[in-house]
Amino acid sequence: MEKAFLITPDVHSDHRGVFLEVFSQPAFERAVGHRLSVAQLNCSLSRRGTIRGMHAIALPGQARYVSCAQGGIVDIVLDIRVGSPTYGEHVAVELTAANRHALYLAEGLAHGFAPLTDEATVVYMCSSTWSPGSEVIINSLDPELGLPWPTEPEPVRSDKDAAAPSLREAAKRGLLPTMAECRALYAELDDLTLTR
């Protein structure tokens, strides 16, 4: 999926434990093509059965760099960019404290996650701050999407997530970004990096 990247950092282990660079700006720039400007750092603790998502921020959007510090999660990226070749498709990855993977998703992509362990702590950097009214939420249990959430126990979601529209309904309401708008934004970000 364009503009979603799985990052596998080098993990250095010895008799003391492990060390890794969870995020490296130079490595990120080489992989993605532009810098990640961090405006907010979020941390959440979720219990098994919780589903958080599917969330995005209206353009100019919010890029996210997600890792799991404790336990494990399935993180699902959903392409909500109208006109994208992968519109409506998803990619699911496991982020765990054991595999130390991280996930980067660009503006215009939605994501959500659910613990695979009794508890999971997720830490994610965001390129912009959250502001009321800017959130785009897609119903995580939209049957047309068939997202691969854990089936046990019964899902627990916020009232806002449970009341969210399906992808089809969000598109009808004009809530979703277009691929053309997103590509223009990506080009601006790449240009900013080149001019530094």
Side-chain angles (χ1 to χ4, degrees):
M1 182 177 299
E2 184 180 341
K3 294 296 183 177
F5 297 87
L6 182 65
I7 293 93
T8 305
D10 291 329
V11 178
H12 306 279
S13 301
D14 64 20
H15 66 281
R16 300 167 296 166
V18 299
F19 171 83
L20 67 142
E21 292 177 349
V22 174
F23 175 80
S24 164
Q25 191 71 262
F28 180 85
E29 281 186 54
R30 283 191 300 275
V32 177
H34 63 80
R35 296 178 63 78
L36 176 60
S37 174
V38 178
Q40 185 170 307
L41 178 66
N42 298 334
C43 179
S44 71
L45 172 68
S46 301
R47 291 176 185 82
R48 189 186 297 269
T50 299
I51 296 175
R52 294 184 185 267
M54 303 297 292
H55 300 157
I57 299 291
L59 291 183
Q62 184 182 74
R64 296 172 183 168
Y65 187 95
V66 185
S67 61
C68 185
Q70 177 262 323
I73 63 167
V74 59
D75 195 305
I76 301 175
V77 180
L78 175 65
D79 192 344
I80 63 169
R81 301 167 299 186
V82 176
S84 166
T86 54
Y87 173 77
E89 294 181 18
H90 68 271
V91 174
V93 297
E94 287 189 15
L95 305 178
T96 70
N99 71 21
R100 304 292 183 187
H101 292 167
L103 177 68
Y104 170 74
L105 56 139
E107 299 85 349
L109 296 171
H111 94 119
F113 58 88
L116 298 171
T117 51
D118 288 339
E119 286 187 341
T121 301
V122 176
V123 177
Y124 51 106
M125 298 183 289
C126 304
S127 65
S128 65
T129 57
W130 179 85
S131 60
S134 65
E135 206 166 33
V136 176
I137 306 174
I138 305 301
N139 195 309
S140 56
L141 298 180
D142 177 351
E144 288 186 35
L145 297 176
L147 301 177
W149 300 114
T151 56
E152 297 281 329
E154 196 67 29
V156 176
R157 301 183 295 161
S158 70
D159 292 342
K160 187 166 51 171
D161 286 354
S166 67
L167 182 65
R168 183 185 304 270
E169 182 58 33
K172 282 183 192 172
R173 293 185 197 172
L175 302 175
L176 306 178
T178 67
M179 189 61 180
E181 293 167 330
C182 290
R183 283 201 174 127
L185 177 63
Y186 305 153
E188 282 179 36
L189 293 170
D190 291 346
D191 288 346
L192 282 174
T193 297
L194 290 174
T195 58
R196 287 184 184 205

